[in-house]
Amino acid sequence: QMSFIQSKDLGYSARGVVVIPRGNASVSALHAFMSEAASIPGQEGIATVNNTFTRGRMRSDIKVDGRVLMPTICFVSSDFVRTLGLTVEEGEDFSPGMDASTAHVALVNEAFVRESRWQSPVGKMLDFEGAPRVIGVVKDFNFESLKTEIQPAVFCLASRASAFNVLFKVHSDPPAESMALLGAAWKRAAPYEPFEPYFLDADLERQY
C-alpha cells in the first residue's frame, strides 16, 4: 500500500514531514521551539497548521456570487506551501515571514476556483473571517484519500496562536538524529507537554 502511495503524485511531499501536535503548549513555548527547530541540521522547512489532513478537517460556509460553498479551511503560517512542496499555479505564495496581523490574505486550490466559477480569482475577497484577499491559487493536491475527488480548500494566513500542529520537514533518512534534537528542543520549550510526533506519510498509509 505504501509503495502504491509513493508511486502516485499526491501534489505535495509528505515524505520526511514530521507533525508535532502543540497540545497545551503556550504561544511563547511554540515560538521558542520553532526558533530552535529551524537550526536543526537537515531541516528543509517548518510551518504551522490548525489541522493536518489525516487527523480532522475544518469546513465552513463561504458565499460566492449567491451560492454557498463548503470548502476545507486550513489556518497556516507563511511557510506552509514551501514546507509541503505545494505548487502555486497562479498569483503568488505567502511571502516568507509574512505576518497575519498585518496581511489578511489567503490561498485557494484549483477545485475552489472551479466550484466558485471565478475567472480571475487573484484579488477576490472571501466572505469568511473578515474577508481575506486571495493572493494565489495552489495546484490541486490530495489532502484526503486518493479514493475521493479533490475538494475545494482555502488556506488562510494565520498567527501561530491559532496553530495546533507544527510541520517539520527533514532531509535526513533515517531521521533519528533530527528526531532526537527535535525532542530535546521540545522538552526545553514545553517541559510539561508530551512530545508526540508522527510522520505524515505514515499517517497517510492508514487511509488505505
Side-chain angles (χ1 to χ4, degrees):
Q1 290 177 331
M2 198 60 187
S3 59
F4 168 75
I5 295 171
Q6 291 175 346
S7 69
K8 297 295 181 180
D9 181 11
L10 299 175
Y12 68 101
S13 176
R15 184 173 175 79
V17 176
V18 182
V19 183
I20 301 108
R22 172 184 173 182
N24 294 316
S26 66
V27 175
S28 60
L30 195 65
H31 274 273
F33 170 69
M34 291 183 68
S35 295
E36 186 170 347
S39 64
I40 289 176
Q43 181 268 130
E44 293 188 336
I46 186 166
T48 60
V49 62
N50 59 333
N51 293 315
T52 57
F53 314 132
T54 53
R55 300 195 183 189
R57 280 175 289 278
M58 172 185 172
R59 286 190 166 91
S60 181
D61 294 350
I62 294 183
K63 293 181 181 179
V64 177
D65 300 329
R67 293 175 295 110
V68 178
L69 277 61
M70 194 78 168
T72 291
I73 307 291
C74 288
F75 292 100
V76 304
S77 65
S78 60
D79 290 319
F80 177 77
V81 167
R82 288 178 289 278
T83 299
L84 287 183
L86 301 176
T87 301
V88 176
E89 294 282 28
E90 184 178 348
E92 59 186 22
D93 186 10
F94 303 124
S95 300
M98 184 178 279
D99 189 348
S101 64
T102 57
H104 199 41
V105 293
L107 304 172
V108 297
N109 69 348
E110 293 173 309
F112 184 95
V113 175
R114 287 192 298 273
E115 195 161 316
S116 69
R117 302 174 192 168
W118 282 342
Q119 296 300 313
S120 302
V122 175
K124 293 283 190 181
M125 311 297 281
L126 295 171
D127 185 14
F128 173 77
E129 291 282 329
R133 176 174 57 88
V134 176
I135 63 169
V137 178
V138 175
K139 182 179 179 180
D140 280 344
F141 65 96
N142 292 94
F143 55 86
E144 297 180 309
S145 170
L146 287 169
K147 300 172 185 176
T148 63
E149 186 177 351
I150 296 175
Q151 299 298 307
V154 175
F155 307 94
C156 296
L157 183 65
S159 69
R160 290 179 181 175
S162 64
F164 296 139
N165 298 278
V166 175
L167 303 178
F168 180 86
K169 175 83 170 179
V170 62
H171 172 70
S172 56
D173 188 19
E177 181 180 353
S178 295
M179 293 298 292
L181 292 171
L182 272 178
W186 182 264
K187 187 174 182 179
R188 283 188 287 272
Y192 302 109
E193 284 299 309
F195 180 62
E196 299 176 329
Y198 59 91
F199 282 92
L200 187 57
D201 57 358
D203 234 37
L204 282 169
E205 184 180 6
R206 298 189 301 110
Q207 299 186 84
Y208 299 92

